[in-house]
Amino acid sequence: MATTEEKFRAALMTLMERFPYDSISVQGICDEAGLSRKTFSRHFTCKEDVVAAQLKADIATPTATVLSVLSGAPFPDSSRVLLRHAYGAFYDNRAFYENAVHSLGLMWLSEHVMAAGKSIGTVPYEKDGINDETEMDFVVTLYSGIAATALCWWMRNHFSITPDRLVELVLKWVYDASPSKEMSK
């Protein structure tokens, strides 16, 4: 059975198949979900919160699950699986995100992807032996920012490549062929 939050997210996604994001009201979301405005207010403050919750459901929540399964895998290998999973979920709901981001903007998307990435926490980086809290915050922010930048680029380019190709580009330039590797030779 769907949770109340899931019902609101599904209602907004259904409405956005038929209407532009800007023309959808909170009351419209409530009506589509079959729930009251008071119930909406217990979970969200505005419809942007519903989009953010969907983004978190598509990216952060499944990524945390995948991380728990891949806890012993080398970072580049686990990154491939994590990015493919996150970018695949985003791609599956690309019409929803295109509609929302048309109104909310790429900066909104970037900020919320970074927040979703930061909500996953330090788990992917703990095995790297980072003991300094400031450095860990930097690393989590850096990699969340890379994921956000890749999604914004992909969206701006109308999903012109597959999720797998996007993962390959991110891994190539972040892990395999980054300029810093070449400069250290």
Side-chain angles (χ1 to χ4, degrees):
M1 176 171 240
T3 66
T4 302
E5 180 184 296
E6 290 168 337
K7 289 177 185 177
F8 283 122
R9 290 191 343 248
L12 180 58
M13 290 184 84
T14 298
L15 289 169
M16 286 176 59
E17 290 172 4
R18 300 187 311 252
F19 306 106
Y21 176 80
D22 285 338
S23 71
I24 299 169
S25 67
V26 169
Q27 188 59 54
I29 297 168
C30 294
D31 293 344
E32 181 70 27
L35 298 165
S36 71
R37 181 76 183 246
K38 185 175 181 180
T39 301
F40 182 93
S41 297
R42 278 190 239 129
H43 296 273
F44 305 106
T45 57
C46 58
K47 67 183 180 179
E48 289 84 3
D49 290 351
V50 183
V51 178
Q54 185 61 47
L55 186 64
K56 187 173 181 181
D58 281 344
I59 295 177
T61 304
T63 298
T65 302
V66 171
L67 269 174
S68 68
V69 174
L70 296 175
S71 61
F75 188 67
D77 294 339
S78 62
S79 293
R80 181 176 311 283
V81 174
L82 291 170
L83 290 171
R84 176 60 182 95
H85 188 75
Y87 293 160
F90 191 86
Y91 186 77
D92 290 344
N93 289 321
R94 65 191 174 277
F96 169 80
Y97 291 114
E98 283 178 313
N99 189 343
V101 170
H102 178 75
S103 296
L104 300 172
L106 286 171
M107 185 57 77
W108 182 94
L109 175 66
S110 180
E111 289 170 1
H112 283 80
V113 170
M114 287 183 68
K118 288 186 92 166
S119 75
I120 295 164
T122 61
V123 173
Y125 317 106
E126 287 172 349
K127 62 183 168 281
D128 293 330
I130 302 169
N131 297 319
D132 181 85
E133 190 175 315
T134 301
E135 184 177 2
M136 181 62 83
D137 182 59
F138 172 80
V139 169
V140 171
T141 302
L142 176 68
Y143 285 104
S144 297
I146 289 167
T149 300
L151 280 175
C152 288
W153 175 87
W154 198 26
M155 183 171 264
R156 257 195 347 263
N157 286 279
H158 308 286
F159 301 97
S160 60
I161 60 175
T162 66
D164 287 330
R165 178 68 178 137
L166 182 62
V167 170
E168 292 305 317
L169 288 173
V170 169
L171 292 177
K172 175 182 178 181
W173 289 102
V174 174
Y175 303 111
D176 300 337
S178 69
S180 61
K181 270 190 180 178
E182 294 302 317
M183 292 194 301
S184 67
K185 289 182 178 178

